Amino acid sequence: MKYIPAELLNKLNEKWQVESKDTQPNLRLVATQATINTLISEPIHEDIPSAFGDVAIRQLPGEKTPSMAYAVCIDNGTARIYERRFPASLDNAWQYIWTLGPAKDAAIEYGGNWFLEAKNRWYILETEETPYLFWIGTDDTLYAQKWDNEQTRIILDTGVSQISVCKGWRSSLMAGLDQGLVVGYLKAGKVYYRAFCIQDDGIAIWEPSYEVTELGTGNNTLSVFRTNDFRIGFVCENAGQMKWTLSQRNYAGMSFRPETVNAQAQNVVCLIENTKDVFIQSDGINYAEADIDGLWFLQYPTTAPTLSVTRTEKINVDAKNASGFKLFLNLPISSVPDDLSSKITITPAMPVTGVSYDSVNQALIISVSPNFVRSIDVTINIAESRGAYYYKYPGQKHPLEALSGFAAREIISFYGYAKNETVNASINNPRIILVNAAFRYSTHKETVAATVQGVTVTLTAVSSLPI
């Protein structure tokens, strides 16, 4: 018999121990042909039947790549919202965040501005912070809402069976040329759409409903898409055939790249002639400083809006006093400059104790101390500041301009009567009108007074007997 060396025997024993204890290491290899910013084919959730859904990608201004993906899925008749962070790796899985409510179909899409990426020279959509949600309720009504803000919810149409949403192209140079946020939907087999577009005055509104007559009737499904040549397309399935149509192009100032001039200096020669020595008293430190803080290069069309105050409200304390003001702005700003308190002048004079910005209500909040009475007119003036900015035009930052607001006095009038007042009254041409008059006749006790004068008594003989 040949003995096994102890070293080899120990290795064999270790092999059987690993398998029996189920501690043998395993390697999982996942290979995908995709970039870090691509959503690969992975389930959003499992063990829940899903009928419909949609996905929207977020890329905020200043971000070089997308940062977040949101999805809306209908699970057993209920629309739920999910999110996933980029890069879209296995470590960043889809996560449920909140429930929208009962729905038959749902879609999600971002609003934003098209921006020409300087390095790669193509257009990207710089999105807003939160997307828009669209869904068909159990009553076949088409609703739209900005993320989870129920106060923005509106009804776009009724009797709707399916929806599809896509962000259209908007001209970067000419105001009013905006395809908008397009919501396509089926209604009684016909294709309709509504668009949330920016008008010539810079205000975004929901335009009326339009029918895509080119697609006819009898349509079963619908999808809205965007082309690379600045169009919006509609494709639907009709009796087993695919039908599609395209809009006109909207490429004013966008199909041609801006002209650029690249220049560089070469072979620079510096000549110093006719030098002259100048001796001055110094502390031994000679230097020159240049400060370029607050330097802006502004370029925008004359139709661009200007930052202003739309209305002013007092911050309530009680019925008699207030503690500050809310200045509602027509455009959102990036932040509040650190020195903004020193740039605020209030008439009559009030000490400013703090300034903040409410991004939800788009308002500057100014706190004062002590509280002031409501029965006075207050004027607020804010000097311009370069410590913050707002977007005066898509992709064009502008420093904060001078602002002014006015809070009118709140007066309650009480009316009464003074002592010893005299009231003169007269009645002209009175008339008495008897309505349904009833006349009742009765007998009264009457007294009659009579006087008898010149009475004559005549005796007539009736017999021969003496009286």
Side-chain angles (χ1 to χ4, degrees):
M1 177 180 293
K2 186 176 181 180
Y3 291 95
I4 300 176
E7 183 179 355
L8 181 59
L9 181 60
N10 292 334
K11 289 185 178 181
L12 291 174
N13 292 333
E14 289 177 358
K15 179 178 183 298
W16 300 122
Q17 290 176 3
V18 169
E19 292 183 358
S20 62
K21 295 180 180 180
D22 195 20
T23 59
Q24 185 173 359
N26 295 305
L27 176 65
R28 182 181 65 166
L29 177 62
V30 179
T32 60
Q33 186 178 359
T35 66
I36 61 174
N37 296 316
T38 301
L39 287 173
I40 58 180
S41 299
E42 296 178 5
I44 296 178
H45 51 66
E46 297 178 353
D47 302 328
I48 302 177
S50 178
F52 302 97
D54 194 12
V55 176
I57 306 298
R58 186 186 75 180
Q59 183 170 349
L60 300 176
E63 295 181 344
K64 296 182 179 180
T65 59
S67 58
M68 186 73 73
Y70 289 101
V72 55
C73 297
I74 298 183
D75 306 324
N76 294 325
T78 301
R80 293 183 171 88
I81 311 300
Y82 299 81
E83 69 175 5
R84 186 179 190 180
R85 295 187 177 276
F86 284 107
S89 62
L90 293 178
D91 296 331
N92 290 332
W94 288 97
Q95 301 290 334
Y96 164 78
I97 50 178
W98 59 283
T99 298
L100 178 62
K104 294 183 177 180
D105 194 5
I108 185 172
E109 184 58 288
Y110 270 99
N113 296 311
W114 292 100
F115 173 73
L116 180 61
E117 206 279 328
K119 182 177 180 181
N120 297 320
R121 302 293 180 87
W122 60 56
Y123 281 94
I124 60 175
L125 178 62
E126 290 187 337
T127 65
E128 299 172 346
E129 180 71 23
T130 55
Y132 289 86
L133 295 171
F134 306 88
W135 71 96
I136 301 175
T138 55
D139 55 353
D140 296 332
T141 299
L142 174 56
Y143 298 91
Q145 177 178 302
K146 185 64 179 294
W147 197 227
D148 57 353
N149 187 357
E150 296 184 0
Q151 295 182 353
T152 63
R153 183 179 301 178
I154 63 171
I155 295 177
L156 297 181
D157 209 334
T158 57
V160 179
S161 59
Q162 190 207 336
I163 58 175
S164 179
V165 184
C166 182
K167 171 61 178 175
W169 294 96
R170 179 190 175 200
S171 171
S172 59
L173 297 178
M174 301 182 64
L177 293 183
D178 184 18
Q179 292 173 338
L181 187 59
V182 182
V183 184
Y185 56 92
L186 294 180
K187 183 176 181 179
K190 299 180 180 180
V191 178
Y192 296 84
Y193 74 91
R194 292 192 67 175
F196 189 59
C197 301
I198 297 179
Q199 309 301 305
D200 294 339
D201 57 1
I203 303 300
I205 64 172
W206 280 104
E207 295 186 346
S209 176
Y210 297 97
E211 180 184 356
V212 185
T213 56
E214 293 82 357
L215 296 177
T217 60
N219 299 293
N220 299 320
T221 60
L222 172 66
S223 178
V224 183
F225 61 94
R226 179 179 62 245
T227 67
N228 287 336
D229 62 345
F230 311 107
R231 302 174 189 259
I232 286 292
F234 299 83
V235 59
C236 58
E237 188 271 332
N238 191 320
Q241 295 183 347
M242 303 301 294
K243 301 174 62 177
W244 60 282
T245 184
L246 294 174
S247 69
Q248 298 292 331
R249 291 187 177 95
N250 185 31
Y251 56 92
M254 297 178 66
S255 61
F256 293 94
R257 296 174 180 173
E259 296 180 352
T260 58
V261 176
N262 296 322
Q264 58 179 328
Q266 294 182 347
N267 302 323
V268 178
V269 178
C270 180
L271 298 178
I272 301 176
E273 297 180 352
N274 301 326
T275 61
K276 182 179 180 180
D277 296 332
V278 178
F279 298 96
I280 60 175
Q281 184 177 0
S282 172
D283 56 1
I285 302 176
N286 298 318
Y287 58 89
E289 292 184 352
D291 188 1
I292 59 173
D293 289 342
L295 180 64
W296 293 76
F297 177 76
L298 306 177
Q299 184 180 9
Y300 47 82
T302 57
T303 57
T306 300
L307 184 67
S308 62
V309 177
T310 58
R311 60 189 175 92
T312 302
E313 289 185 1
K314 298 174 183 176
I315 300 177
N316 296 330
V317 174
D318 51 40
K320 183 180 179 181
N321 299 290
S323 63
F325 309 90
K326 280 188 177 182
L327 275 61
F328 293 85
L329 307 178
N330 63 330
L331 296 170
I333 63 176
S334 62
S335 60
V336 175
D338 296 335
D339 60 345
L340 191 60
S341 297
S342 62
K343 296 178 179 293
I344 299 176
T345 303
I346 301 179
T347 306
M350 300 179 188
V352 177
T353 58
V355 183
S356 60
Y357 177 62
D358 182 357
S359 59
V360 176
N361 295 312
Q362 205 167 291
L364 281 173
I365 300 177
I366 302 174
S367 302
V368 299
S369 180
N371 300 335
F372 63 95
V373 294
R374 298 174 174 272
S375 59
I376 59 173
D377 291 331
V378 179
T379 302
I380 305 169
N381 292 302
I382 305 177
E384 63 180 8
S385 174
R386 294 175 179 260
Y389 64 88
Y390 72 99
Y391 281 97
K392 192 177 184 70
Y393 197 71
Q396 174 65 63
K397 296 180 180 179
H398 194 287
L400 301 186
E401 294 161 316
L403 301 171
S404 62
F406 177 76
R409 69 181 68 180
E410 301 176 26
I411 299 177
I412 302 177
S413 299
F414 296 94
Y415 299 93
Y417 295 97
K419 293 182 178 180
N420 302 325
E421 290 189 345
T422 302
V423 177
N424 298 322
S426 61
I427 301 176
N428 297 323
N429 301 321
R431 292 188 302 169
I432 298 176
I433 299 175
L434 302 179
V435 179
N436 298 327
F439 297 92
R440 302 183 183 275
Y441 300 93
S442 61
T443 302
H444 298 275
K445 180 179 180 180
E446 296 181 353
T447 301
V448 177
T451 302
V452 180
Q453 296 178 355
V455 177
T456 302
V457 178
T458 302
L459 298 175
T460 301
V462 295
S463 165
S464 59
L465 295 177
I467 298 176

PDB file of all heavy atoms in Angstrom, residues 15 79 114 219-220 266 269 293 345 362 425 436 457:
ATOM      1  N   LYS A  15     -10.993  20.203   0.015  1.00  0.00           N
ATOM      2  CA  LYS A  15     -11.909  20.212  -1.129  1.00  0.00           C
ATOM      3  C   LYS A  15     -13.288  19.690  -0.737  1.00  0.00           C
ATOM      4  O   LYS A  15     -14.316  20.283  -1.059  1.00  0.00           O
ATOM      5  CB  LYS A  15     -11.327  19.361  -2.249  1.00  0.00           C
ATOM      6  CG  LYS A  15     -12.210  19.275  -3.493  1.00  0.00           C
ATOM      7  CD  LYS A  15     -11.538  18.459  -4.576  1.00  0.00           C
ATOM      8  CE  LYS A  15     -12.393  18.448  -5.836  1.00  0.00           C
ATOM      9  NZ  LYS A  15     -13.692  17.844  -5.651  1.00  0.00           N
ATOM     10  N   ALA A  79     -51.408  53.466 -10.569  1.00  0.00           N
ATOM     11  CA  ALA A  79     -50.178  54.057 -11.092  1.00  0.00           C
ATOM     12  C   ALA A  79     -49.219  54.332  -9.948  1.00  0.00           C
ATOM     13  O   ALA A  79     -49.566  55.017  -8.989  1.00  0.00           O
ATOM     14  CB  ALA A  79     -50.483  55.340 -11.857  1.00  0.00           C
ATOM     15  N   TRP A 114     -33.693  73.269 -24.839  1.00  0.00           N
ATOM     16  CA  TRP A 114     -32.671  72.623 -25.662  1.00  0.00           C
ATOM     17  C   TRP A 114     -31.401  73.459 -25.638  1.00  0.00           C
ATOM     18  O   TRP A 114     -31.432  74.670 -25.821  1.00  0.00           O
ATOM     19  CB  TRP A 114     -33.180  72.445 -27.092  1.00  0.00           C
ATOM     20  CG  TRP A 114     -34.286  71.448 -27.183  1.00  0.00           C
ATOM     21  CD1 TRP A 114     -35.616  71.685 -27.269  1.00  0.00           C
ATOM     22  CD2 TRP A 114     -34.135  70.029 -27.184  1.00  0.00           C
ATOM     23  NE1 TRP A 114     -36.317  70.523 -27.309  1.00  0.00           N
ATOM     24  CE2 TRP A 114     -35.432  69.478 -27.266  1.00  0.00           C
ATOM     25  CE3 TRP A 114     -33.046  69.165 -27.112  1.00  0.00           C
ATOM     26  CZ2 TRP A 114     -35.655  68.115 -27.289  1.00  0.00           C
ATOM     27  CZ3 TRP A 114     -33.272  67.800 -27.144  1.00  0.00           C
ATOM     28  CH2 TRP A 114     -34.568  67.283 -27.235  1.00  0.00           C
ATOM     29  N   ASN A 219     -58.187  53.774 -35.071  1.00  0.00           N
ATOM     30  CA  ASN A 219     -56.842  53.513 -34.557  1.00  0.00           C
ATOM     31  C   ASN A 219     -56.922  52.807 -33.208  1.00  0.00           C
ATOM     32  O   ASN A 219     -57.787  53.116 -32.374  1.00  0.00           O
ATOM     33  CB  ASN A 219     -56.070  54.825 -34.425  1.00  0.00           C
ATOM     34  CG  ASN A 219     -55.916  55.529 -35.766  1.00  0.00           C
ATOM     35  OD1 ASN A 219     -55.232  55.043 -36.646  1.00  0.00           O
ATOM     36  ND2 ASN A 219     -56.577  56.679 -35.908  1.00  0.00           N
ATOM     37  N   ASN A 220     -55.991  51.854 -32.994  1.00  0.00           N
ATOM     38  CA  ASN A 220     -55.997  51.055 -31.765  1.00  0.00           C
ATOM     39  C   ASN A 220     -54.907  51.456 -30.783  1.00  0.00           C
ATOM     40  O   ASN A 220     -55.110  51.416 -29.571  1.00  0.00           O
ATOM     41  CB  ASN A 220     -55.851  49.571 -32.108  1.00  0.00           C
ATOM     42  CG  ASN A 220     -56.991  49.075 -32.981  1.00  0.00           C
ATOM     43  OD1 ASN A 220     -58.141  49.458 -32.773  1.00  0.00           O
ATOM     44  ND2 ASN A 220     -56.681  48.233 -33.956  1.00  0.00           N
ATOM     45  N   GLN A 266       1.013  83.306 -31.349  1.00  0.00           N
ATOM     46  CA  GLN A 266       2.248  82.569 -31.502  1.00  0.00           C
ATOM     47  C   GLN A 266       3.410  83.539 -31.709  1.00  0.00           C
ATOM     48  O   GLN A 266       3.237  84.624 -32.268  1.00  0.00           O
ATOM     49  CB  GLN A 266       2.175  81.599 -32.690  1.00  0.00           C
ATOM     50  CG  GLN A 266       1.162  80.473 -32.495  1.00  0.00           C
ATOM     51  CD  GLN A 266       1.145  79.496 -33.673  1.00  0.00           C
ATOM     52  OE1 GLN A 266       1.705  79.797 -34.728  1.00  0.00           O
ATOM     53  NE2 GLN A 266       0.498  78.365 -33.486  1.00  0.00           N
ATOM     54  N   VAL A 269       6.611  88.602 -29.132  1.00  0.00           N
ATOM     55  CA  VAL A 269       7.853  89.272 -28.742  1.00  0.00           C
ATOM     56  C   VAL A 269       7.506  90.477 -27.900  1.00  0.00           C
ATOM     57  O   VAL A 269       6.648  91.288 -28.278  1.00  0.00           O
ATOM     58  CB  VAL A 269       8.670  89.695 -29.973  1.00  0.00           C
ATOM     59  CG1 VAL A 269       9.932  90.431 -29.549  1.00  0.00           C
ATOM     60  CG2 VAL A 269       9.015  88.471 -30.820  1.00  0.00           C
ATOM     61  N   ASP A 293     -14.625  89.651 -10.009  1.00  0.00           N
ATOM     62  CA  ASP A 293     -15.905  89.174  -9.481  1.00  0.00           C
ATOM     63  C   ASP A 293     -17.041  90.026 -10.018  1.00  0.00           C
ATOM     64  O   ASP A 293     -16.939  91.253 -10.104  1.00  0.00           O
ATOM     65  CB  ASP A 293     -15.905  89.222  -7.952  1.00  0.00           C
ATOM     66  CG  ASP A 293     -15.003  88.154  -7.357  1.00  0.00           C
ATOM     67  OD1 ASP A 293     -14.680  87.217  -8.110  1.00  0.00           O
ATOM     68  OD2 ASP A 293     -14.625  88.268  -6.183  1.00  0.00           O
ATOM     69  N   THR A 345     -34.068  98.648   0.938  1.00  0.00           N
ATOM     70  CA  THR A 345     -34.498  99.900   1.567  1.00  0.00           C
ATOM     71  C   THR A 345     -36.009  99.858   1.734  1.00  0.00           C
ATOM     72  O   THR A 345     -36.739  99.658   0.751  1.00  0.00           O
ATOM     73  CB  THR A 345     -34.100 101.111   0.719  1.00  0.00           C
ATOM     74  OG1 THR A 345     -32.678 101.102   0.514  1.00  0.00           O
ATOM     75  CG2 THR A 345     -34.511 102.395   1.404  1.00  0.00           C
ATOM     76  N   GLN A 362     -41.874  80.780  -5.613  1.00  0.00           N
ATOM     77  CA  GLN A 362     -41.089  81.730  -6.422  1.00  0.00           C
ATOM     78  C   GLN A 362     -41.178  83.128  -5.803  1.00  0.00           C
ATOM     79  O   GLN A 362     -41.588  84.086  -6.465  1.00  0.00           O
ATOM     80  CB  GLN A 362     -41.618  81.736  -7.861  1.00  0.00           C
ATOM     81  CG  GLN A 362     -40.618  82.164  -8.913  1.00  0.00           C
ATOM     82  CD  GLN A 362     -41.096  81.855 -10.314  1.00  0.00           C
ATOM     83  OE1 GLN A 362     -41.180  80.698 -10.707  1.00  0.00           O
ATOM     84  NE2 GLN A 362     -41.422  82.869 -11.065  1.00  0.00           N
ATOM     85  N   ALA A 425     -87.636 115.980   7.636  1.00  0.00           N
ATOM     86  CA  ALA A 425     -88.326 115.082   6.714  1.00  0.00           C
ATOM     87  C   ALA A 425     -89.653 115.702   6.327  1.00  0.00           C
ATOM     88  O   ALA A 425     -90.288 116.423   7.121  1.00  0.00           O
ATOM     89  CB  ALA A 425     -88.539 113.712   7.355  1.00  0.00           C
ATOM     90  N   ASN A 436    -108.303  95.612  -0.504  1.00  0.00           N
ATOM     91  CA  ASN A 436    -109.315  94.668   0.004  1.00  0.00           C
ATOM     92  C   ASN A 436    -110.090  95.291   1.169  1.00  0.00           C
ATOM     93  O   ASN A 436    -110.226  94.712   2.244  1.00  0.00           O
ATOM     94  CB  ASN A 436    -108.660  93.350   0.442  1.00  0.00           C
ATOM     95  CG  ASN A 436    -107.975  92.644  -0.710  1.00  0.00           C
ATOM     96  OD1 ASN A 436    -108.423  92.728  -1.857  1.00  0.00           O
ATOM     97  ND2 ASN A 436    -106.883  91.948  -0.410  1.00  0.00           N
ATOM     98  N   VAL A 457    -154.220 124.313  21.761  1.00  0.00           N
ATOM     99  CA  VAL A 457    -155.076 123.194  22.176  1.00  0.00           C
ATOM    100  C   VAL A 457    -156.499 123.523  21.726  1.00  0.00           C
ATOM    101  O   VAL A 457    -157.041 124.576  22.056  1.00  0.00           O
ATOM    102  CB  VAL A 457    -155.037 122.978  23.688  1.00  0.00           C
ATOM    103  CG1 VAL A 457    -155.958 121.857  24.094  1.00  0.00           C
ATOM    104  CG2 VAL A 457    -153.587 122.703  24.124  1.00  0.00           C
TER     105      VAL A 457
END
